[in-house]
């Protein structure tokens, strides 16, 4: 697929896809006319890269761990320097903290919605003397 289709399917600007290629995160073959041609597997790869970047990992670390995301997994132990291991442990712990915060926020929103909806149903029952119609009807 060409860069425009990959961009559209992943929601990633073309400029950013070129950057990923410069960083060695993805690779394109070239058509006779010089256009980039990406394999179908790069749709998932780009989405994984975006998720890892959103989680705060730098591209140099992403490049080292991307093979671990492939099937079958390919892990290069020679790349696992003490600095990289410490960085990955730190990033893992930071992601865990973010996940815990997101779960707390999701649960708080769910509780709030439940209370609001219950109060709306109770108010409707008190006003009409019957169960309120579900929203959207």
């Amino acid at each position: 697929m060409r860069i425009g289709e990959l961009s559209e399917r992943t929601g990633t600007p073309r400029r950013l896809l070129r950057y990923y290629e410069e960083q060695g995160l993805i690779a394109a073959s070239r058509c006779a006319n010089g256009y980039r041609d990406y394999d179908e597997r790069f749709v998932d790869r780009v989405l994984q890269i975006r998720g890892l970047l959103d989680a705060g990992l730098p591209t140099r670390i992403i490049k080292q761990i991307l093979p671990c995301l492939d099937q079958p997994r390919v892990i290069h132990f020679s790349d696992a320097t003490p600095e990289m291991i410490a960085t990955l442990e730190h990033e893992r712990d930071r992601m865990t903290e973010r996940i815990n915060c997101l779960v707390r926020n999701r649960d708080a929103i769910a509780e709030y919605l439940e209370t609001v909806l219950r109060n709306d149903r109770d108010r409707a029952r008190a006003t009409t003397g019957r169960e309120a119609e579900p929203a959207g009807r």
Side-chain angles (χ1 to χ4, degrees):
M1 81 186 80
R2 297 228 173 103
I3 194 168
E5 183 180 348
L6 183 60
S7 173
E8 187 176 307
R9 290 180 60 186
T10 61
T12 305
R14 294 174 190 204
R15 184 176 56 80
L16 202 48
L17 293 172
R18 289 185 197 98
Y19 173 74
Y20 294 168
E21 191 172 343
E22 288 172 15
Q23 297 300 306
L25 302 175
I26 60 175
S29 58
R30 294 288 182 157
C31 299
N33 59 7
Y35 289 175
R36 288 173 170 86
D37 185 39
Y38 293 95
D39 188 88
E40 180 71 26
R41 69 188 171 96
F42 286 114
V43 172
D44 286 336
R45 171 59 55 96
V46 168
L47 295 173
Q48 288 174 321
I49 292 167
R50 301 266 322 244
L52 292 168
L53 286 168
D54 288 347
L57 268 69
T59 55
R60 68 180 174 80
I61 298 295
I62 293 171
K63 184 177 180 179
Q64 290 179 298
I65 65 171
L66 276 176
C68 300
L69 303 175
D70 289 336
Q71 294 297 331
R73 296 185 193 285
V74 179
I75 299 174
H76 303 285
F77 294 106
S78 61
D79 292 347
T81 64
E83 177 191 49
M84 181 185 158
I85 290 170
T87 300
L88 288 174
E89 287 174 336
H90 172 75
E91 293 300 329
R92 179 204 57 209
D93 295 345
R94 201 174 60 74
M95 285 181 199
T96 300
E97 289 173 13
R98 287 181 68 194
I99 289 167
N100 291 338
C101 181
L102 286 169
V103 168
R104 284 191 310 272
N105 291 339
R106 182 206 56 204
D107 292 348
I109 289 170
E111 185 178 335
Y112 174 82
L113 282 171
E114 184 180 308
T115 301
V116 167
L117 294 172
R118 184 176 49 246
N119 286 341
D120 285 349
R121 283 191 302 268
D122 292 347
R123 222 176 333 192
R125 254 189 251 127
T127 304
T128 64
R130 63 183 172 89
E131 186 73 27
E133 288 285 324
R137 288 193 180 185

